[in-house]
Amino acid sequence: MPTQELSGTTALVTGASRGFGRAIALALAKHGAHVVGVARDRARLEELHAQLGDTFTPVSADATDPVVAGQLLDKHRPRTLVLNAGAAPLTRPVHRQTWQTFSRNWEVDVQHVFNWTREALLLPLEPGSVVIAFSSAAAVNGSPLSGGYAGAKATIRFIASYGAAESGRNALGITFTSVLPQLTPETDLGAAGVAAYAARQGVDIPAFLDGFGRTLTPEQVGTAIAGIATGPGDDRDAYLLTAAGLGPVQ
């Protein structure tokens, strides 16, 4: 039987229709939460609804819309808020980007985290709530084939830390943190990145992945996020996320 540490609480996950977001929704539901999943892909959300039944509420919406953020937080008051939505970057070197392609992850990923963080603080969410924003290991290592992706993900980490500081200054009792998952071929976005970087190095994909050790899976990500949501927390501002689990950011 699954544990029920989140029984009676609501979790809201953006980008819930596929990849990490879908796995996170499944893991949080397993731990007893009622999960509100937000994504633009209605069909995939309905597939997840069919699997989880009444423990899942699908919301087909654009997570970057500040009105959506405000309305859904007002309505659902989640104890756990996972900000996972993001755009797939164009995998080209910098001189083959346009400003529009280069800035895509700022317009989507960063704007979405900013809007939801702002609304979580303004509402505010209840004391004891947890806000988890998805950054990336690229925020530390760089991402020369992904335009502004690495900088956008670094900014997401900063926004989460700013949210934590404001929660503390105003005694709100909301925990803010960010996670930095390792590049993995187990998602559509990651598979495109792995293929591009392997080609850049002139090696095949298995040889490229040898340098990463074990491959991070969506299921491992879901388990890790559920652990943050159910655990007492250690006030860490960010976690590196690999197949070995959560660790400090170097």
Side-chain angles (χ1 to χ4, degrees):
M1 291 290 292
T3 54
Q4 299 289 311
E5 298 95 333
L6 298 177
S7 181
T9 72
T10 297
L12 192 150
V13 181
T14 65
S17 63
R18 66 185 71 203
F20 290 162
R22 184 179 187 279
I24 292 164
L26 289 168
L28 293 174
K30 178 180 177 180
H31 283 263
H34 180 91
V35 179
V36 179
V38 183
R40 290 177 295 176
D41 193 328
R42 183 183 299 275
R44 285 180 178 264
L45 286 175
E46 290 299 335
E47 290 174 4
L48 191 52
H49 187 207
Q51 181 175 353
L52 291 175
D54 291 341
T55 64
F56 182 76
T57 298
V59 178
S60 178
D62 182 354
T64 67
D65 186 339
V67 174
V68 168
Q71 289 177 339
L72 292 182
L73 291 188
D74 280 346
K75 180 177 181 179
H76 296 287
R77 306 291 177 115
R79 179 204 176 278
T80 306
L81 176 60
V82 183
L83 303 176
N84 164 75
L90 180 65
T91 51
R92 293 179 182 173
V94 64
H95 62 290
R96 295 187 62 205
Q97 302 274 347
T98 66
W99 176 248
Q100 287 71 30
T101 64
F102 186 90
S103 62
R104 178 64 172 157
N105 295 104
W106 289 84
E107 296 295 333
V108 177
D109 306 35
V110 176
Q111 182 176 193
H112 136 265
V113 170
F114 170 79
N115 288 336
W116 288 83
T117 297
R118 177 177 183 271
E119 291 293 339
L121 290 166
L122 286 174
L123 188 58
L125 294 180
E126 292 293 326
S129 298
V130 180
V131 180
I132 304 166
F134 265 71
S135 178
S136 167
V140 177
N141 301 322
S143 186
L145 290 183
S146 301
Y149 181 83
K153 292 300 186 180
T155 299
I156 286 172
R157 181 183 175 187
F158 282 126
I159 292 173
S161 70
Y162 300 160
E166 292 306 310
S167 175
R169 282 196 330 115
N170 293 283
L172 299 180
I174 307 169
T175 297
F176 287 83
T177 193
S178 60
V179 293
L180 287 68
Q182 183 181 46
L183 180 64
T184 173
E186 295 294 317
T187 65
D188 293 342
L189 185 154
V194 165
Y197 282 103
R200 179 184 176 92
Q201 293 183 14
V203 299
D204 61 20
I205 290 174
F208 175 78
L209 290 173
D210 279 346
F212 286 82
R214 287 191 297 141
T215 297
L216 178 66
T217 68
E219 291 74 22
Q220 289 169 327
V221 173
T223 298
I225 297 306
I228 295 173
T230 60
D234 59 7
D235 296 325
R236 187 177 299 175
D237 77 318
Y239 297 86
L240 184 66
L241 179 49
T242 69
L246 296 166
V249 180
Q250 301 298 325

